Amino acid sequence: MLFQSINKFKRSSIIVSIVLMALGLIMVICPGRYVSSLISAIGYGSLILAAIMILEYLDSKRMMVNTIMLVCAIIIGLLGVSVLVFEEYILQILGWVFGIILFLQGIEMLYNALMYVRPSGRSGWWLLAILAVALIAAGVAIILNMWFMWWDTPKALLQIIGIALMFDAAVSIVRLVLIWPIQAE
């Protein structure tokens, strides 16, 4: 039973990674068309998520956890409004946040590869370590762009984020398939 649910989780994670690769490909192929749509989707999506979270709070018992979720909902709502109001700066901030996420994910993956996968004797731990270092480098490059402006147009930044998103999704697929293979049921 446990292995069946783990296998379902692995399969759904692979499907999510494939969808993210497709999204990254769309961002690379035609970024100019989707810049304003992406920003609007982030803003309105944040507002909808905040509204749902507030409605869930109103329907729930008044506990500390639910109050923390209400505060998070208010913050998400304010961020959604900020995205819609300050539209021209949001793509730079999105790139910065995406760079931080890539950097932290690479650090976590490198730590797991060296501390857990290598000692367990699984083959391919070195591939995970190399891919983790590549994720860290991609995250640092995107973060440093804020100061050096290697790509200064929203179109170029969206393409870079799309390439990094495709690479991140591919690394996730490799990690799930190579290191933690799906077991036969």
Side-chain angles (χ1 to χ4, degrees):
M1 185 69 146
L2 176 65
F3 286 117
Q4 290 175 346
S5 61
I6 290 174
N7 285 341
K8 286 180 185 177
F9 176 73
K10 289 177 190 176
R11 286 185 183 110
S12 66
S13 295
I14 290 171
I15 291 171
V16 166
S17 294
I18 291 170
V19 169
L20 288 176
M21 286 180 76
L23 177 65
L25 186 64
I26 289 172
M27 291 168 75
V28 169
I29 292 174
C30 44
R33 295 182 190 160
Y34 298 108
V35 171
S36 63
S37 300
L38 176 69
I39 292 171
S40 296
I42 290 170
Y44 290 122
S46 298
L47 289 175
I48 291 169
L49 178 63
I52 290 170
M53 290 172 73
I54 289 171
L55 290 174
E56 285 179 359
Y57 171 77
L58 293 175
D59 191 42
S60 67
K61 295 180 181 178
R62 303 300 188 259
M63 296 172 50
M64 183 64 158
V65 173
N66 293 335
T67 306
I68 292 172
M69 293 303 290
L70 175 67
V71 170
C72 289
I74 292 170
I75 292 170
I76 290 171
L78 290 174
L79 287 174
V81 169
S82 298
V83 165
L84 294 173
V85 171
F86 302 109
E87 196 171 306
E88 63 272 2
Y89 302 109
I90 293 304
L91 200 57
Q92 289 291 332
I93 294 169
L94 178 66
W96 189 63
V97 168
F98 192 73
I100 290 172
I101 289 171
L102 280 179
F103 179 78
L104 293 176
Q105 188 177 14
I107 293 287
E108 182 256 341
M109 193 166 118
L110 183 63
Y111 179 79
N112 286 337
L114 295 177
M115 294 298 173
Y116 299 118
V117 178
R118 183 175 59 113
S120 71
R122 293 204 183 249
S123 61
W125 68 268
W126 55 272
L127 181 62
L128 270 185
I130 291 170
L131 291 174
V133 170
L135 277 177
I136 292 169
V140 167
I142 291 174
I143 292 168
L144 289 179
N145 179 55
M146 295 297 290
W147 291 282
F148 297 115
M149 291 303 216
W150 294 315
W151 44 86
D152 57 349
T153 64
K155 181 179 175 181
L157 183 61
L158 199 62
Q159 286 178 325
I160 295 300
I161 291 172
I163 291 169
L165 186 63
M166 287 189 308
F167 179 68
D168 182 40
V171 167
S172 295
I173 290 172
V174 167
R175 182 171 59 179
L176 287 169
V177 171
L178 181 68
I179 303 301
W180 295 277
I182 296 175
Q183 299 182 3
E185 296 176 12

